[in-house]
Structure formats: C-alpha cells, structure tokens
Amino acid sequence: MDKKDRQILRELQRDARLTNAELAERVHLSPSPCLRRVRNLESAGVISRYVAIADRKVAGYGLTAYVQITLSRHERDTVNAFEQRVRETPEILACHLMTGPFDYLLEIVVEGLEAYEALLRTKLHTVSGIATINTSIVYGTIKDTEELP
C-alpha cells in the first residue's frame, strides 16, 4: 500500500457510501485510477467488507460488557463447544483468543443488566468447561472507532 491507497482507505473508512467520483476528488485522482485502486484493495483483502455502523444505544443495546473467559481444560471438544456457542450468539460482537491470565475476551452488547444475566445463564453457563467468567461493564466511552490509522 502506498500513500494514495492509505488516503483512499481513510476516506472509505469514514464514509463507505462515497461515490467513486466523490472519492476520486477527495484523494486527488481521476475516477478510473481511483476505482482501479479500490478494486485492488478489495482483491488484496485490505478492504474485506462494507458495513453500516449502528449506534448501539439508539438501536436499543444500552449495555456493553467485556468478558474474560478462562476454560478449565483445553481439550478439543471443550474449545470447539465454547467457540461454537460464541459463533451462534449474536450478542457477542467479538471474541479474541488471548495470551495472559485468561483464554478469551468477549465483547457483548445487550439491552441492560437483566438481558446480560439471561445471556450468561442461558448461553455461557450452559457450556461445560468454563472455569471463570469475569465481567467489566462499560459505563462511558472515550473513543470508539473502526478506522485504522
């Protein structure tokens, strides 16, 4: 990626609905080379998808929790069962395999505390092999972006 590709990426991260003409104007290219660069970024996997980012609170998800999970054992069946449950649970926005004192870090959004408790009881507590669940509730956000630097 060169400087021009990074400019294109920055503009698309800010507004993926730009027309090619608008994008080309913002990055000071003519439309054809601009479109060619966008297609190259897509085919190289730099741009993996286009999404609409919803405001969580406005959409009804007033509680965000970061949840640290430690498994009691790391056998294939235990790991597969846990990871499958994560994939089937839409409230879990992200799941990261971690180094350090816990195995996974989950980002979860729900309507509120009652919904979070219900999710724990019906989705996570039912997976065998989970040793610990530690929850941190977000009560304010200083920065939240999907834009790469």
Side-chain angles (χ1 to χ4, degrees):
M1 280 185 35
D2 63 12
K3 183 178 179 180
K4 199 56 73 174
D5 288 335
R6 291 188 192 286
Q7 289 176 330
I8 290 169
L9 185 59
R10 182 180 59 245
E11 293 300 329
L12 287 175
Q13 286 181 120
R14 290 179 179 162
D15 184 359
R17 295 183 68 172
L18 290 172
T19 66
N20 184 59
E22 293 168 329
L23 178 60
E25 184 178 323
R26 288 187 186 190
V27 300
H28 309 291
L29 284 174
S30 58
S32 292
C34 183
L35 183 59
R36 187 169 38 256
R37 283 177 173 266
V38 170
R39 296 292 183 243
N40 288 342
L41 290 169
E42 292 169 345
S43 66
V46 174
I47 297 174
S48 60
R49 62 191 170 128
Y50 295 90
V51 299
I53 298 173
D55 184 298
R56 295 172 184 195
K57 288 184 180 177
V58 174
Y61 298 96
L63 187 139
T64 300
Y66 288 91
V67 181
Q68 301 169 345
I69 302 287
T70 304
L71 299 180
S72 58
R73 51 192 187 282
H74 296 90
E75 298 156 348
R76 182 177 308 271
D77 290 345
T78 302
V79 169
N80 288 345
F82 173 75
E83 291 180 359
Q84 183 59 36
R85 179 59 51 90
V86 165
R87 286 185 196 95
E88 352 177 293
T89 306
E91 295 88 351
I92 300 174
L93 299 184
C95 175
H96 304 283
L97 188 58
M98 306 295 291
T99 62
F102 53 92
D103 299 316
Y104 296 92
L105 179 65
L106 309 180
E107 180 181 10
I108 296 175
V109 294
V110 289
E111 294 84 0
L113 280 173
E114 288 179 5
Y116 179 68
E117 180 186 4
L119 182 134
L120 280 181
R121 290 180 184 271
T122 63
K123 301 291 185 177
L124 294 179
H125 287 168
T126 60
V127 178
S128 66
I130 294 178
T132 61
I133 299 174
N134 292 309
T135 302
S136 296
I137 302 292
V138 174
Y139 69 92
T141 301
I142 308 307
K143 182 177 181 179
D144 184 18
T145 184
E146 295 296 321
E147 293 180 35
L148 296 176

